[in-house]
Amino acid sequence: MRLQEFWSRLAEQFGPLRGETVARDHVFSALGGRTAVEAIEAGLPVRRVWLAICEEYDVPSRER
């Protein structure tokens, strides 16, 4: 998954403003106590970050 696709899916799933908040403010234990943005900047695969968000927010499997 490319970074651009990550941001597009985030906006589609949560809306543009809430998607930004989810990525920048929410701390995920599955990402080592980091936000999604911090995890990506630390080098975690974007797909792994997306899946952690999906798990945390119960995104339906067909939309993952």
Side-chain angles (χ1 to χ4, degrees), residues 6-59:
F6 169 81
W7 287 109
S8 293
R9 285 187 182 202
L10 202 60
E12 287 173 15
Q13 187 65 41
F14 298 102
L17 295 177
R18 184 160 184 243
E20 287 279 332
T21 299
V22 167
R24 297 186 189 285
D25 298 333
H26 187 91
V27 175
F28 296 87
S29 60
L31 300 176
R34 300 181 191 126
T35 67
V37 170
E38 291 170 339
I40 291 168
E41 289 174 349
L44 270 69
V46 177
R47 179 77 178 155
R48 179 176 168 198
V49 173
W50 172 247
L51 291 176
I53 292 170
C54 291
E55 285 296 316
E56 184 82 14
Y57 285 93
D58 295 321
V59 173

